[in-house]
Amino acid sequence: MNKITSTIKAIKPLDKAAMAKAQERQGTLTKPPGSLGRLEELSIRLAGVQRKPLPVIKNKVIITMAGDHGVVAEKVGNWPQEVTAQMVGNFLHGGAGINVLARQVNARIIVADMGVARDLAAHPSLLIRKCGYGTQNMCICPAMTAEQAVQAIETGIDIVSAEIAKGLDIVGTGDMGIGNTTPSAAICAVITGKPVATVTGRGTGLSDDQLKHKVNVIERAISCNHPDASQPLDVLAKVGGFEIGGLAGVMLGAAAHHVPVVIDGFISGAAALIATSLAPVVKEYLIAAHLSAEPGHQIMLDHMGLTPLLRLDMRLGEGTGAALGIFLAEAAARTLAEMATFTEAQVSEEEAKK
Amino acid sequence: MNKITSTIKAIKPLDKAAMAKAQERQGTLTKPPGSLGRLEELSIRLAGVQRKPLPVIKNKVIITMAGDHGVVAEKVGNWPQEVTAQMVGNFLHGGAGINVLARQVNARIIVADMGVARDLAAHPSLLIRKCGYGTQNMCICPAMTAEQAVQAIETGIDIVSAEIAKGLDIVGTGDMGIGNTTPSAAICAVITGKPVATVTGRGTGLSDDQLKHKVNVIERAISCNHPDASQPLDVLAKVGGFEIGGLAGVMLGAAAHHVPVVIDGFISGAAALIATSLAPVVKEYLIAAHLSAEPGHQIMLDHMGLTPLLRLDMRLGEGTGAALGIFLAEAAARTLAEMATFTEAQVSEEEAKK
């Protein structure tokens, strides 16, 4: 049995008993029932994921995976490919958006080179796990081989498993890859069945004409490769990316170990479509941090039945939305665990309850 | 010149030069322009409020004001009035929702007794600033005298000014007062001109019949007192509350000292309606943390032209939403200040910019 299959086999539905206990405790805390809204729901789900009535969100990691994309040859964006590698350097020096937000929420960052187009200098905080030097141009041939698709997902499983072995309460996903809204939109179109034009957005800021061209590129990639929507590995190989496959692996590996995953925006959403197509139960382990400004993101989340916590018109990626989502997950867990009960605080309860 | 008038006189429009510099810096940071969405907007507004290009959100306070309401005699809710005093005790012992969230965002809490119906034991963290022992039943007479309305607002100005004197970068507002969604809905109806039934909600959890009764109580309070919508102090006196007046004072005092105010939910929204009716420029200093589950809250925010940062179906009050909003304000300020520029990080810029 290969690693992907065995990982999927290890993923259980949430622990209903722990959820029932968390829900019961919510009703005893000094507040009107339900008045913490989605934080209460989230605390109960975290209990089910972590399989304990009082979930803990203390040890936090954000895994940011980088990869390049051959489809940039079709001029789908305005940024030069070298920016992927340069931004990895920025992550390693602590100057990117994700560094600032991870510091604020006290999460450590794991940066993984899943397939940047050039060799990166070794760095103690960088995992070099290349599945290739960028994908192929998916307008001409599959983005990667079937073997590379498996490798990317397995690498993600390995990376998150190693972190979990060190102790981990929650993982956030992040990405860096010039051009990667293009494969993400392609995955979204194939898996959700929505038209390419509906799920494709302006990425880092395209004009109307450029957006039209991007839609055309994605349509050509799909018609040239015929990805099979019922075979997530086939979709990943034909129109995906190395960092997208890696993040799907992170989601599978975390779920197998009962660790909640806060997914970032559009690229993490594409990875989540792959992961949840491989194993639908993974949905229960995913917390949608925010709604990206990319129009396809809502379609992805709807397809998976996930409701984003935040709507801040962010579209930076890197895991920036996930960092904010981790903060809210911590708030959910802490209010459940730390608030006093009516009995402890000697506060009278609602008349109707008496 | 009295304290309210002099405070209002001290409130200036935001510093456009600081905002322009913050906006310019946003364009140089290592991210696609605009990709941090509302965090970028917020960082620019904070620059304008604090009158410096790099706003700082480090020294944080949440001011939670408590008061009782004579209108509880009309049975507008299901919780006994004693809960107001009991919850103040819970705040002082660190067991309430606001204590947990304030700890998480590293904000200190100031608890002020603005008019709880009974005497509270002295406590080093409690400001006893009673304007009365609960308001009067506004169905029968004005909730408070004109003098008490002025006293409540001036007390809020004094409390926030004392905190600012100690050093303060941001203030969050919070409330505790059994029955206080009733005066808040009354204030909303009077100031926005919307029907009482439209702005009134279920508070801590009313049935359909109880909601109908609450609407009727508010309509009676308005028709018996004839509050003058163009005179915010008259509205506060006739259908308001001591903690609502106090929070309006906090907003005025903070704005006068260039300190941003993160407003919580429905009760803080009512206070903001009073404050912004007294001095419309105060709006620029207010950050709407979240959209409460109370239906009138959206109407209040629309009236003031504020867009909430979060929509988490929360309706606890105490400043819990404000604590989450303070976290986002800090994220906005930190990304602006701490992210590397393209030049610093040696990252290539967008082709179009070259």
Side-chain angles (χ1 to χ4, degrees):
Chain A
M1 188 160 65
N2 71 32
K3 187 175 292 176
I4 296 174
T5 312
S6 64
T7 301
I8 289 171
K9 272 207 132 173
I11 305 174
K12 292 187 222 166
L14 302 194
D15 181 342
K16 300 285 179 240
M19 294 173 79
K21 278 188 191 159
Q23 179 140 36
E24 193 191 327
R25 181 172 162 83
Q26 281 290 3
T28 69
L29 300 176
T30 42
K31 59 179 171 49
S35 61
L36 280 174
R38 294 197 62 202
L39 292 187
E40 293 192 23
E41 288 169 30
L42 185 51
S43 74
I44 293 164
R45 193 137 76 87
L46 291 169
V49 170
Q50 292 190 349
R51 312 189 87 75
K52 47 192 175 196
L54 290 183
V56 172
I57 304 293
K58 245 184 176 169
N59 202 332
K60 313 154 203 169
V61 75
I62 292 164
I63 298 179
T64 301
M65 294 188 150
D68 271 314
H69 296 271
V71 73
V72 296
E74 304 293 334
K75 304 209 175 302
V76 285
N78 293 327
W79 295 73
Q81 189 173 58
E82 67 205 31
V83 168
T84 305
Q86 292 168 341
M87 282 301 294
V88 169
N90 199 18
F91 297 153
L92 297 172
H93 289 94
I98 186 55
N99 300 101
V100 178
L101 296 177
R103 279 196 293 271
Q104 191 182 344
V105 303
N106 195 27
R108 60 188 195 277
I109 301 177
I110 304 294
V111 184
D113 172 5
M114 294 294 298
V116 177
R118 66 177 176 76
D119 281 314
L120 300 175
H123 187 285
S125 303
L126 175 65
L127 301 177
I128 300 183
R129 298 285 187 275
K130 275 189 197 300
C131 303
Y133 286 80
T135 55
Q136 301 298 308
N137 180 350
M138 66 182 186
C139 278
I140 297 172
C141 63
M144 64 184 88
T145 64
E147 291 71 27
Q148 284 174 312
V150 169
Q151 184 189 348
I153 292 180
E154 290 187 345
T155 302
I157 294 172
D158 287 345
I159 289 173
V160 78
S161 299
E163 287 306 311
I164 291 167
K166 292 181 205 165
L168 191 61
D169 300 319
I170 197 162
V171 59
T173 64
D175 70 285
M176 179 67 225
I178 293 300
N180 67 6
T181 59
T182 296
S184 298
I187 290 169
C188 181
V190 172
I191 291 189
T192 69
K194 297 281 181 198
V196 171
T198 307
V199 304
T200 304
R202 291 172 197 272
T204 51
L206 299 183
S207 68
D208 288 352
D209 279 353
Q210 287 176 309
L211 177 60
K212 224 179 275 179
H213 172 66
K214 182 175 171 184
V215 169
N216 178 262
V217 165
I218 295 169
E219 286 171 342
R220 278 160 48 209
I222 293 172
S223 68
C224 126
N225 285 302
H226 300 291
D228 178 347
S230 71
Q231 300 293 329
L233 286 171
D234 189 62
V235 179
L236 175 63
K238 287 176 173 164
V239 298
F242 298 132
E243 78 281 38
I244 296 171
L247 292 174
V250 167
M251 293 171 201
L252 296 173
H257 290 93
H258 323 312
V259 171
V261 185
V262 181
I263 61 173
D264 196 35
F266 193 55
I267 283 77
S268 289
L273 286 178
I274 301 290
T276 58
S277 299
L278 284 165
V281 65
V282 170
K283 283 172 207 174
E284 303 182 22
Y285 290 81
L286 302 182
I287 296 158
H290 76 120
L291 182 68
S292 161
E294 277 292 296
H297 196 218
Q298 180 76 66
I299 292 163
M300 292 173 167
L301 295 180
D302 285 347
H303 185 81
M304 294 184 282
L306 299 174
T307 309
L309 289 167
L310 294 156
R311 292 162 187 268
L312 295 172
D313 294 327
M314 288 165 60
R315 51 180 170 78
L316 175 52
E318 301 179 2
T320 47
L324 304 182
I326 286 174
F327 166 81
L328 293 175
E330 184 178 348
R334 288 175 70 146
T335 42
L336 177 64
E338 296 176 25
M339 278 180 71
T341 63
F342 284 104
T343 312
E344 285 164 359
Q346 296 181 286
V347 172
S348 308
E349 290 201 55
E350 207 170 352
E351 308 277 0
K353 274 200 166 181
K354 280 186 179 168
Chain B
M1 190 161 62
N2 71 33
K3 189 175 291 176
I4 297 175
T5 312
S6 64
T7 302
I8 290 171
K9 271 207 133 173
I11 305 173
K12 292 187 222 166
L14 302 194
D15 181 342
K16 301 283 179 245
M19 293 173 79
K21 278 188 190 159
Q23 179 139 38
E24 194 190 326
R25 180 172 164 84
Q26 281 290 4
T28 69
L29 300 177
T30 42
K31 61 178 168 52
S35 61
L36 280 176
R38 294 197 60 202
L39 292 186
E40 294 192 22
E41 288 168 30
L42 184 52
S43 73
I44 293 163
R45 194 138 73 90
L46 290 170
V49 170
Q50 291 189 351
R51 313 189 86 76
K52 46 191 175 197
L54 291 183
V56 173
I57 305 293
K58 247 186 177 168
N59 202 333
K60 313 155 201 168
V61 76
I62 292 165
I63 299 179
T64 300
M65 295 188 151
D68 273 312
H69 297 271
V71 72
V72 297
E74 304 292 334
K75 304 210 171 301
V76 287
N78 293 327
W79 294 75
Q81 188 174 59
E82 66 204 31
V83 167
T84 305
Q86 290 168 343
M87 283 300 297
V88 169
N90 198 16
F91 299 153
L92 297 172
H93 288 94
I98 185 57
N99 299 102
V100 178
L101 296 176
R103 281 196 292 270
Q104 191 182 345
V105 303
N106 196 26
R108 62 188 194 276
I109 302 177
I110 304 293
V111 183
D113 171 5
M114 293 295 296
V116 177
R118 66 177 176 76
D119 281 314
L120 299 174
H123 186 287
S125 302
L126 174 65
L127 301 177
I128 299 183
R129 297 288 186 274
K130 275 188 197 301
C131 302
Y133 285 81
T135 55
Q136 300 299 306
N137 180 351
M138 67 183 186
C139 276
I140 298 173
C141 63
M144 64 185 89
T145 64
E147 292 71 27
Q148 283 174 312
V150 169
Q151 183 188 349
I153 293 179
E154 290 187 344
T155 302
I157 294 171
D158 287 344
I159 289 174
V160 78
S161 299
E163 288 306 311
I164 291 166
K166 293 181 203 164
L168 190 62
D169 300 319
I170 197 161
V171 59
T173 64
D175 71 286
M176 179 68 224
I178 292 301
N180 67 6
T181 60
T182 296
S184 298
I187 290 168
C188 180
V190 173
I191 291 188
T192 70
K194 297 281 182 198
V196 171
T198 307
V199 304
T200 304
R202 290 170 198 274
T204 53
L206 298 184
S207 68
D208 288 353
D209 280 353
Q210 287 176 310
L211 177 60
K212 220 179 278 179
H213 172 66
K214 182 176 171 183
V215 168
N216 176 261
V217 165
I218 296 169
E219 285 171 343
R220 278 161 47 210
I222 293 172
S223 69
C224 125
N225 284 301
H226 300 290
D228 178 348
S230 71
Q231 299 295 327
L233 286 172
D234 188 62
V235 178
L236 174 63
K238 288 179 172 162
V239 296
F242 297 132
E243 79 280 41
I244 297 171
L247 292 173
V250 167
M251 295 171 198
L252 295 173
H257 289 95
H258 323 310
V259 171
V261 185
V262 181
I263 60 171
D264 195 34
F266 193 54
I267 284 76
S268 288
L273 286 179
I274 300 289
T276 59
S277 298
L278 284 166
V281 66
V282 170
K283 285 173 206 174
E284 303 181 22
Y285 290 80
L286 302 183
I287 297 159
H290 76 120
L291 182 67
S292 162
E294 278 292 295
H297 195 216
Q298 180 75 67
I299 292 164
M300 290 172 169
L301 295 179
D302 287 348
H303 186 81
M304 294 183 283
L306 299 173
T307 309
L309 291 166
L310 294 154
R311 290 162 188 266
L312 295 172
D313 294 328
M314 288 166 62
R315 51 181 170 75
L316 174 53
E318 301 178 0
T320 48
L324 304 180
I326 285 173
F327 166 82
L328 292 175
E330 184 178 347
R334 288 176 70 147
T335 43
L336 176 64
E338 297 177 22
M339 279 181 70
T341 64
F342 284 103
T343 311
E344 286 164 357
Q346 295 180 288
V347 172
S348 308
E349 291 199 55
E350 204 170 354
E351 308 277 0
K353 275 200 163 178
K354 279 183 181 170

